[in-house]
Amino acid sequence: MSMKKAFVVSMVAAVVGTSVVSAVSAAPAVKPAAAAAQVQNSSFTINGSTVVVRSMVKKGETLVSLRDVIKATGAQAEVHSGTTTITLNGHTVVLKANSTQMMVDGVKSTLAQPVTNVSGTSYVALRPLVSGLGGTIARRAGVLEISTVPLLEGAENPRFAGAGKLIVSKSDENGRTDYLVDTTSGKFELLLTTSGGSDLVVAPSGNQVAYTDAEGAVYVLDLNSKASRQITNDNSIKPELVWSADGSAIYFLQGDKGTVIAKLSLADGSIAKLVEDKVDYKENLSVSADGKKFIYTVTTLGTVTSDTTNIDEDNVSIDFSSNQQQIFSFNIDGSKPEAVKLTTTSDDKVFVLSTDGLKAYYVSVPSTDDQATLLSVDASQKAANVFADYDVEQAILSGGVLYVLAAQDDSNSVIYSIDTATGKQTKLYTVSADVSAITVAGSQIAIIENGRVLVNAGDSWRAVTK
């Protein structure tokens, strides 16, 4: 079992001027295209905007108006003696009228169709042109989506934040920087730079995020205004933040050992301790919609077996055989609130999830080479298989649906959805084994492949970072 599955700048402002566009369209006349090639107006999505581009299909390949694409992408173009030089985002494409030769960043390539002139307008194959300018093409609902926006490099930990937006992060020795990325164009903008703060946790509405600073104070950042407001200056350590279902409060584990489960009101900043049972090392907190039931794990540590009482001594012996992580539920609304132990097994338990605070879903990772499986368990302590067809590498929960990334073989992984109400399993995608993580929100899904974040674009996956 490989546990690797554990997660653009603005459109170029300068739009080509009338003189440049005229120069491109005024290239020396060449033999007209064959009558079978009919020019039509086609709607593309280019850098997030719907654009009408003149196009035609010639010998099964789509050719587009060079003038229209230059204008829509904001590229710069120069024409000399029938040779057009296009520059965009550090890339240079050189085309010759009526020629199949194309130079991309100084490297020669061959087009299947020559640059073709129709009624004074040059047409060139779409895909080689976009690729040469460093762009990408995907298809969604029958519409081609083209992006030539420079993409953010080295981003990680993608999370959807409303429709068509992802939050991604970049970390270095100075701290972490968070960005908001448009999933259609790849355009990105700075959200927050922090040193020692927590990850940004997206609210159910998708329009705000919560985080703590290095001292433990809690802030909420509005994704529309980009403004942050401090909710509390309480400086207790808060290792996990969980939004309430209605977005009015934030639950968190409190203390350096995650001993207490507490609730922070966004209205007045008050903090209420809900579970204070003196049990340390709580993690993986899930909260029910009514805010009264919790699922979490508790890790027991090794025990000192030597006679010495100074654990800093080199001769201290520790028995790690008792190291275990178990799943518990806690209902604060019961007549006698107390923790209920749901599991007793010694397997590793990762991606612990719950929809109602009573039943837990988790990935069981055996100590042997056997494949990991997705299980469910409740107060009966009887685990049930939820997904065991392939080696499970990640499970996430969104809108009452489980999404599973699993290794099918050495070359391919698969993504399944599982309805928690009916148990129905649906295979959604087969992806490369290089996919290391997924993230989902409603119908939106993104993957991380070889360090790049790609979003599903219907018939394909479109990179939004590089």
Side-chain angles (χ1 to χ4, degrees):
M1 157 66 185
S2 168
M3 288 308 299
K4 65 174 181 175
K5 319 297 191 197
F7 144 22
V8 249
V9 282
S10 324
M11 183 192 299
V12 178
V15 176
V16 65
T18 303
S19 60
V20 174
V21 173
S22 298
V24 173
S25 61
V30 296
K31 184 178 179 180
Q38 299 295 320
V39 175
Q40 60 183 7
N41 290 330
S42 300
S43 291
F44 297 154
T45 299
I46 299 182
N47 296 334
S49 299
T50 300
V51 178
V52 175
V53 174
R54 287 169 292 175
S55 69
M56 62 181 180
V57 177
K58 185 178 180 183
K59 296 182 180 180
E61 186 174 34
T62 298
L63 277 60
V64 292
S65 162
L66 191 55
R67 175 183 179 178
D68 293 350
V69 173
I70 288 172
K71 182 177 180 181
T73 59
Q76 300 295 315
E78 295 181 357
V79 179
H80 296 289
S81 302
T83 298
T84 303
T85 302
I86 309 163
T87 57
L88 180 66
N89 302 328
H91 296 284
T92 300
V93 172
V94 180
L95 298 162
K96 291 184 178 181
N98 205 35
S99 173
T100 58
Q101 183 182 103
M102 180 172 74
M103 297 287 289
V104 177
D105 297 333
V107 179
K108 184 186 295 184
S109 62
T110 301
L111 299 170
Q113 311 293 327
V115 178
T116 302
N117 184 280
V118 177
S119 301
T121 297
S122 296
Y123 289 79
V124 66
L126 173 64
R127 292 185 181 277
L129 176 62
V130 171
S131 177
L133 294 174
T136 60
I137 298 178
R139 183 181 294 275
R140 185 195 298 270
V143 177
L144 285 179
E145 295 184 338
I146 299 167
S147 175
T148 59
V149 179
L151 302 181
L152 184 67
E153 186 171 4
E156 57 190 10
N157 191 21
R159 292 138 285 166
F160 282 103
K165 301 290 183 181
L166 276 172
I167 292 175
V168 299
S169 305
K170 293 182 67 173
S171 300
D172 55 29
E173 63 275 8
N174 298 316
R176 191 191 72 248
T177 304
D178 300 298
Y179 299 87
L180 190 64
V181 178
D182 186 292
T183 61
T184 299
S185 67
K187 177 182 177 182
F188 64 90
E189 55 185 317
L190 176 67
L191 275 182
L192 182 71
T193 298
T194 182
S195 178
S198 71
D199 285 340
L200 305 185
V201 182
V202 182
S205 64
N207 58 17
Q208 55 185 352
V209 295
Y211 64 96
T212 65
D213 64 14
E215 285 70 44
V218 178
Y219 294 78
V220 169
L221 185 153
D222 185 281
L223 294 177
N224 296 316
S225 67
K226 310 301 184 296
S228 288
R229 64 185 178 97
Q230 185 173 342
I231 305 302
T232 177
N233 60 3
D234 173 77
N235 61 3
S236 62
I237 296 175
K238 303 172 182 66
E240 293 184 27
L241 303 180
V242 179
W243 282 89
S244 66
D246 62 3
S248 67
I250 296 172
Y251 299 87
F252 60 93
L253 297 175
Q254 190 174 42
D256 58 350
K257 296 180 181 179
T259 306
V260 173
I261 300 176
K263 177 182 179 180
L264 168 65
S265 169
L266 269 62
D268 58 12
S270 62
I271 294 175
K273 294 183 178 181
L274 305 180
V275 177
E276 193 174 10
D277 57 2
K278 299 182 180 180
V279 176
D280 296 335
Y281 305 112
K282 295 183 178 72
E283 295 177 290
N284 302 304
L285 179 65
S286 291
V287 183
S288 64
D290 63 8
K292 297 179 180 180
K293 296 177 282 296
F294 308 94
I295 292 286
Y296 54 89
T297 62
V298 172
T299 301
T300 57
L301 303 182
T303 56
V304 177
T305 58
S306 64
D307 293 334
T308 182
T309 58
N310 184 358
I311 61 173
D312 293 324
E313 295 285 346
D314 291 337
N315 63 350
V316 169
S317 297
I318 300 177
D319 178 12
F320 289 102
S321 63
S322 61
N323 276 32
Q324 289 187 2
Q325 186 180 55
Q326 304 299 350
I327 302 175
F328 288 79
S329 66
F330 200 110
N331 184 357
I332 63 173
D333 204 31
S335 57
K336 295 179 62 177
E338 61 181 358
V340 176
K341 193 174 187 178
L342 305 186
T343 61
T344 59
T345 54
S346 60
D347 54 333
D348 288 334
K349 303 171 183 68
V350 294
F351 304 110
V352 180
L353 311 159
S354 179
T355 57
D356 58 7
L358 299 173
K359 176 187 285 186
Y361 298 91
Y362 66 99
V363 176
S364 171
V365 184
S367 58
T368 63
D369 290 334
D370 294 340
Q371 68 181 27
T373 56
L374 178 62
L375 305 177
S376 67
V377 68
D378 55 22
S380 69
Q381 294 187 334
K382 295 179 179 178
N385 276 333
V386 177
F387 185 88
D389 293 349
Y390 303 107
D391 191 14
V392 177
E393 297 174 314
Q394 184 189 2
I396 59 177
L397 182 64
S398 176
V401 178
L402 290 160
Y403 295 85
V404 176
L405 174 67
Q408 178 175 276
D409 50 46
D410 291 341
S411 301
N412 299 294
S413 293
V414 288
I415 301 173
Y416 275 78
S417 67
I418 304 171
D419 190 306
T420 56
T422 65
K424 180 182 178 181
Q425 299 183 7
T426 303
K427 183 178 178 180
L428 301 178
Y429 308 103
T430 298
V431 295
S432 165
D434 293 327
V435 172
S436 58
I438 62 175
T439 186
V440 181
S443 61
Q444 302 180 105
I445 183 167
I447 60 177
I448 299 179
E449 181 182 42
N450 293 324
R452 301 183 305 158
V453 180
L454 301 95
V455 297
N456 182 257
D459 301 331
S460 60
W461 296 89
R462 179 181 57 252
V464 294
T465 71
K466 63 179 181 180

